[in-house]
Amino acid sequence: MSALTSLAQLQAVATGRAQPIATVRHCHLAEAPLVMVPLKLAGEAAAPLAMMLGTRPSDPTLLVVPQPRNRDLRFAFAADLAKVVLDHIEASRGSVEQLPPGRDGEERTRYSDAPQLLVPNRGGVAFLRLLGRSTRFRRTEGPYAVDAAVPALGRWLTWFGERHDHPGSSLLLAMTEVLRLHWATGQSAVEDGNLAALLGWIDPPEGMDGPAAAARAEDPVVCPPAGPATDPTFDNEVLAPAMAAYQQNAPQAEEKIRAALESQLAPTWELMWRGVRLLRALPEGASVPARWERDRDAFTHFHQTFGEGYPQARRDPPVRAARRLHELERAQESYEAQRAFDDPLVMAEHRLAGEAFGGVVTECDPTRLDETGKRPRLRPRLWVRTEDPVRLEPGTTVCSADRPALKGRVVKLAEGAVLLELTGGMGRRLTPEPGTVPQVGDRVCFTSRVADSWGVARFPDREETPWTHGGPTEDYVPTDEDAAEEWS
Amino acid sequence: MTDTALALERLRGGAPPRNHDARTIAALTANPGCARRGVMDAAGVDKDAVARALGFPAQFGQSQFAITRGNAFEAKVKADGCAELLTLLRDRLGLTVPEVSYADLEVVGGNEGRELRYTRTRRLLARALESGEGTLFDHPLLRLDIAGQPAYLEPDVIAFQLGGRFHVIEIKSFAVIDGQAEPDQVAAAARQSAVYVLALRRLVTELGAPADRVSHEVFLVCPENFSNRPTASLLDVRPQLAVLERQLARLTRVDRILETLPDDLTFAPGEALADAVRAVEARYAPECMSTCEMAFFCRDEARACGSTGALGRSVRDDLGGVESIGTALALADGTMEPTPDLAETAAQLRLAARLRREALDGAA
Ligand code: SF4
């Protein structure tokens, strides 16, 4: 949050409509994402009740567990779900791209595409994680055998959950989070967690304004919650009697449960696709394809090593946890920097913080040479007039927001102006390549935040985990106990 | 009766004070800056009923599936004189638990008054304190003074004496998966347990024993992973205790708020109810939605008067504490001259407005 987003929220209140806080789309959006709307049984950690899912708005699949306390029915649900998810994964691979061989000469490939999962909210992400946790250790033979697809589903869902933590990853997205990255509403974060209310502000139905649409969205009878928690009144008045009837083998009991759950899921299904349409209408940010490429790399690796891998451990061993944390921090840094380069509205945050500044070039010496060293160097200088509250020390390295290759450093600050010396990105000769140096009258923006400014972390390999961190860890091999774990 | 007690009774409109439970007492700590809530809680006004009467019912409904599951889990843990619970304490936490007796203080049938039940709890605990013997007391009836009024607490917990110290054992039905539970739920459990610890401490000191005969460490018993099997963990509730004690002390100073209110103010049902509620200043924040029965009413009020607080505390902070959306927007577009204390906020807002405009114009 910042004053900029807060101001956008105030403007949303004043206009009755959500206000943009991004001018481009900062996430990848697949041609055919797998939209998943899960519901779970109240009071249970991860007992699936139903899920509506599919890759086309007109063609949802509805999976239902008519009696979630029945273990066999639960695993039947997991097996059905696994088929849809695994099919989606295989269908989303695209072709295989050959990459130049790696440093030690090993062959490298990358799938041209990757699967994308979309859920309504953070609760949906958490639920998929738990579903992954409760299915990945299952055995496909022996006393508690389950369908072979079930543990595979568990490993994939766990993997998607881990990727979700990775800043800038688009493999598993929560719709409310993605929308909030692009729009600010006139309500608080609590209310924004309600997908219907959030969309009400962004794209109210005909004849309604944001507040009216959001108020309507808070009535669970008109807008059932987007899950995974159900509306308690629905549970008590509709679902419980329907399940009791099922228990007593009443005729058509299962159909009735399906119909009831469908009525709870269908509105959210519609909302999900409305969200997809809104996001699709935004132009894609320039660095989105590069981040999706990292996602594809991760996907390719996991997919290709799936056969020889084990289910992910219950808890990360220490070195892996530390490395992961470091990776996430790095990814966060570079994600934020990239977003700012892609989007002037995000760059505005950096300008507000004094880490970047924008303005007009008032003086420029494009062919200035620095001749103090052995050889002369091209060091053009320019004065930029700015009203921004620049908080950069002389000597700070900056680069151009429009063309990050253009580098320079701050020479001095004056009242409402900055003197810059350009140091790179102008060609190799002693006169700048045409068009590289801004001219008097040009609008420019320079930032001190550069993408990928972090070094590579050095962590001991797994075999060399210090004893203080538990010594070397073994691969996690699931035990009989894992496989037999209750799921009640 | 003291003046304060009289005033509080008038506020209730003659209705009996609402019973508190640990959840409502724990919720007292949620928004300590709110005078409206302070007064209503001190008077024991039934906020749920008031909110309904005002047409803004709270939505704290519970699914029967959750209730059933909670009850089933608790019954399992407590079955056969808490056999499973004792095994858990011995094996999982490695406690040397000697033979213990189990006493359920809940009345089966009978129409015993609360004072009587409280006296019984008191008597049994006094004896246990003296003997120092291991005993599990289920459903003790405790008492805590809320703004000078005794509130009886019927905790669904067990007071357990081990090595001369009492521990609160709280049974919750949210799952602990691979050693982790949802932080919100653990936090709520810790706040509630702190209420029991405090009430038990008050009782123990009344009986002449030092307060630390009641441990600040609570046993939290939850289902493990996806099963129905219980697992136990220790929860240190010292921070929650500190907040709770501070807040309860504040409630006893409710007379200061009362002084500022009209003499004939009452929350009795009727035409004037909404105005009466409005007469007491609120401090709405989105967190109210999960802690206070009045939330929908107060949110509506906060929105109607264009309060920045309705957008969240962080927004209010970003705006340098400016309370009104209209003022903030006027400062941002320069149509309002800031007072000296708002000069910095105004400059920041004008800058933000310019940057937004530049970025959006550039993109268009
Ligand atoms: S909902 Fe209203 S009365 Fe309750 S704490 Fe919030 S502001 Fe105070």
Side-chain angles (χ1 to χ4, degrees):
Chain A
M1 284 303 237
S2 74
L4 221 55
T5 308
S6 295
L7 178 65
Q9 285 195 265
L10 302 182
Q11 291 167 339
V13 174
T15 54
R17 283 294 281 256
Q19 297 296 309
I21 50 172
T23 62
V24 295
R25 171 160 42 80
H26 291 286
C27 61
H28 174 82
L29 202 53
E31 287 278 315
L34 181 63
V35 168
M36 307 170 91
V37 185
L39 288 182
K40 76 178 184 92
L41 187 69
E44 309 275 333
L49 183 59
M51 194 182 299
M52 193 171 266
L53 73 169
T55 54
R56 281 197 311 264
S58 59
D59 183 24
T61 302
L62 176 65
L63 301 178
V64 163
V65 190
Q67 180 41 268
R69 295 213 171 89
N70 177 323
R71 182 189 157 95
D72 292 338
L73 292 176
R74 256 188 224 192
F75 279 111
F77 169 92
D80 289 345
L81 175 62
K83 289 203 183 69
V84 181
V85 173
L86 298 179
D87 278 356
H88 176 68
I89 290 169
E90 293 309 317
S92 310
R93 265 195 289 148
S95 56
V96 179
E97 296 169 358
Q98 285 295 332
L99 302 180
R103 226 173 286 146
D104 34 11
E106 95 270 36
E107 231 185 76
R108 295 191 312 145
T109 57
R110 181 193 293 138
Y111 295 139
S112 66
D113 209 349
Q116 183 177 45
L117 311 185
L118 301 179
V119 295
N121 46 35
R122 280 176 197 226
V125 173
F127 178 76
L128 290 193
R129 265 190 234 272
L130 285 181
L131 201 59
R133 165 62 184 80
S134 63
T135 50
R136 70 176 186 258
F137 298 120
R138 306 293 159 179
R139 292 262 173 90
T140 52
E141 48 200 37
Y144 297 95
V146 298
D147 190 301
V150 171
L153 170 76
R155 289 173 60 195
W156 274 108
L157 290 182
T158 305
W159 178 80
F160 275 108
E162 279 179 9
R163 288 300 298 178
H164 178 79
D165 294 337
H166 199 88
S169 169
S170 294
L171 289 160
L172 166 59
L173 295 174
M175 188 55 82
T176 49
E177 284 187 344
V178 180
L179 292 174
R180 272 168 57 81
L181 193 63
H182 298 88
W183 284 277
T185 69
Q187 60 188 1
S188 79
V190 173
E191 287 103 1
D192 276 354
N194 175 342
L195 179 61
L198 178 58
L199 274 168
W201 274 95
I202 299 173
D203 182 26
E206 270 299 306
M208 261 190 226
D209 64 359
R216 183 176 167 275
E218 281 181 358
D219 180 353
V221 178
V222 187
C223 284
T230 46
D231 168 25
T233 312
F234 166 78
D235 279 5
N236 298 341
E237 288 172 14
V238 181
L239 191 57
M243 277 187 185
Y246 177 84
Q247 238 9 35
Q248 286 153 16
N249 294 318
Q252 278 157 8
E254 186 165 350
E255 285 72 19
K256 282 183 191 147
I257 294 180
R258 281 183 75 85
L261 288 167
E262 183 168 15
S263 74
Q264 295 295 292
L265 287 164
T268 306
W269 175 259
E270 296 297 326
L271 293 174
M272 287 296 285
W273 289 103
R274 224 167 94 204
V276 168
R277 277 197 298 279
L278 286 167
L279 289 166
R280 229 189 265 292
L282 291 173
E284 186 177 76
S287 64
V288 171
R291 283 200 297 277
W292 183 241
E293 198 174 272
R294 297 288 77 70
D295 276 337
R296 282 157 48 210
D297 278 336
F299 168 62
T300 309
H301 178 75
F302 191 68
H303 187 271
Q304 289 181 345
T305 56
F306 194 86
E308 59 216 58
Y310 288 106
Q312 299 89 334
R314 285 165 177 246
R315 280 198 246 183
D316 266 355
V319 169
R320 183 163 188 268
R323 179 183 289 127
R324 191 169 140 77
L325 194 63
H326 180 84
E327 272 170 17
L328 295 187
E329 281 171 0
R330 263 191 66 175
Q332 183 69 36
E333 285 269 315
S334 76
Y335 173 52
E336 274 169 22
Q338 287 174 355
R339 270 179 39 218
F341 283 110
D342 289 0
D343 186 344
L345 207 41
V346 180
M347 186 59 85
E349 301 267 5
H350 297 190
R351 291 170 63 182
L352 188 73
E355 297 171 335
F357 62 92
V360 177
V361 179
T362 52
E363 278 175 48
C364 181
D365 182 356
T367 52
R368 179 180 170 273
L369 294 180
D370 174 358
E371 291 172 301
T372 53
K374 262 194 212 136
R375 276 182 288 140
R377 290 175 302 177
L378 177 63
R379 290 291 180 267
R381 282 193 168 182
L382 37 110
W383 276 102
V384 180
R385 194 182 62 224
T386 178
E387 294 171 56
D388 294 356
V390 189
R391 277 183 211 108
L392 298 175
E393 297 292 323
T396 309
T397 315
V398 293
C399 69
S400 157
D402 305 314
R403 203 165 63 81
L406 185 66
K407 303 232 170 355
R409 71 186 177 82
V410 176
V411 181
K412 69 175 167 194
L413 301 174
E415 189 59 31
V418 181
L419 178 61
L420 274 188
E421 182 170 295
L422 299 179
T423 54
M426 298 161 290
R428 299 181 156 271
R429 278 169 296 156
L430 283 181
T431 46
E433 294 288 332
T436 55
V437 176
Q439 298 174 347
V440 171
D442 283 357
R443 285 214 132 262
V444 290
C445 175
F446 284 87
T447 173
S448 61
R449 290 256 218 136
V450 274
D452 297 315
S453 53
W454 279 39
V456 178
R458 294 285 311 146
F459 285 105
D461 282 334
R462 195 165 50 171
E463 297 72 41
E464 292 157 20
T465 304
W467 64 269
T468 45
H469 291 74
T473 49
E474 309 271 310
D475 265 330
Y476 188 78
V477 182
T479 61
D480 287 342
E481 209 183 302
D482 282 332
E485 184 177 67
E486 280 174 60
W487 190 18
S488 57
Chain B
M1 241 195 240
T2 61
D3 286 356
T4 305
L6 276 172
L8 293 179
E9 186 168 307
R10 190 194 65 235
L11 285 175
R12 279 198 307 277
R18 169 183 183 232
N19 294 331
H20 278 284
D21 54 35
R23 195 182 69 78
T24 60
I25 295 176
L28 295 180
T29 59
N31 191 357
C34 175
R36 178 175 297 167
R37 167 175 192 142
V39 168
M40 293 181 105
D41 280 338
V45 171
D46 185 345
K47 293 195 300 260
D48 194 43
V50 170
R52 251 180 291 122
L54 293 171
F56 290 93
Q59 295 181 355
F60 289 132
Q62 246 203 321
S63 161
Q64 68 177 70
F65 298 118
I67 298 171
T68 311
R69 153 99 173 171
N71 293 343
F73 179 67
E74 196 183 323
K76 184 172 188 299
V77 173
K78 287 185 179 172
D80 303 322
C82 295
E84 199 159 355
L85 178 64
L86 288 170
T87 316
L88 192 62
L89 297 178
R90 287 188 182 119
D91 297 355
R92 194 59 70 90
L93 298 173
L95 301 178
T96 338
V97 183
E99 279 304 296
V100 292
S101 56
Y102 169 78
D104 192 346
L105 299 176
E106 192 168 43
V107 208
V108 219
N111 210 353
E112 216 173 348
R114 295 159 132 206
E115 280 80 16
L116 222 59
R117 278 188 61 198
Y118 175 65
T119 321
R120 197 150 70 99
T121 301
R122 221 179 123 106
R123 201 177 56 233
L124 285 171
L125 284 185
R127 205 185 301 153
L129 277 171
E130 237 167 72
S131 71
E133 265 166 29
T135 313
L136 291 164
F137 291 110
D138 200 355
H139 302 110
L141 191 74
L142 302 172
R143 201 171 74 179
L144 202 58
D145 275 359
I146 305 293
Q149 308 278 337
Y152 287 97
L153 292 169
E154 237 175 305
D156 236 348
V157 296
I158 302 173
F160 170 52
Q161 181 163 242
L162 178 68
R165 283 189 104 190
F166 274 100
H167 290 267
V168 165
I169 301 178
E170 178 140 37
I171 301 169
K172 289 279 171 197
S173 62
F174 59 81
V176 174
I177 293 168
D178 297 338
Q180 289 186 320
E182 257 187 63
D184 287 357
Q185 294 189 300
V186 178
R191 279 198 301 271
Q192 288 187 24
S193 303
V195 177
Y196 299 135
V197 171
L198 187 66
L200 208 51
R201 281 191 170 173
R202 296 267 158 97
L203 178 57
V204 163
T205 38
E206 271 176 39
L207 291 169
D212 65 5
R213 287 287 295 268
V214 180
S215 171
H216 56 258
E217 285 191 321
V218 168
F219 292 112
L220 187 61
V221 178
C222 297
E224 183 172 40
N225 298 335
F226 306 96
S227 74
N228 233 335
R229 243 175 310 123
T231 178
S233 30
L234 270 182
L235 207 57
D236 181 344
V237 299
R238 266 175 296 184
Q240 291 78 11
L241 270 173
V243 177
L244 182 66
E245 282 184 284
R246 216 179 317 128
Q247 179 59 2
L248 289 180
R250 248 188 125 255
L251 278 185
T252 59
R253 295 194 302 266
V254 71
D255 38 345
R256 260 187 248 154
I257 306 175
L258 290 175
E259 272 167 26
T260 66
L261 300 178
D263 279 342
D264 55 351
L265 193 75
T266 174
F267 299 129
E271 299 269 291
L273 182 57
D275 286 336
V277 173
R278 278 195 204 99
V280 192
E281 203 184 328
R283 198 177 172 78
Y284 175 80
E287 291 75 19
C288 293
M289 295 299 271
S290 56
T291 52
C292 184
E293 292 86 347
M294 297 297 297
F296 281 97
F297 177 82
C298 298
R299 185 181 71 174
D300 186 65
E301 179 190 55
R303 283 179 174 172
C305 66
S307 145
T308 53
L311 296 174
R313 287 189 210 275
S314 68
V315 176
R316 190 189 286 205
D317 292 347
D318 278 342
L319 300 174
V322 175
E323 302 269 336
S324 140
I325 293 178
T327 307
L329 281 170
L331 291 174
D333 65 18
T335 51
M336 183 192 256
E337 271 305 311
T339 52
D341 58 321
L342 285 181
E344 204 180 308
T345 304
Q348 188 76 359
L349 277 169
R350 275 201 303 275
L351 173 64
R354 175 174 65 80
L355 290 175
R356 265 188 72 73
R357 226 171 20 242
E358 270 183 29
L360 284 168
D361 288 353

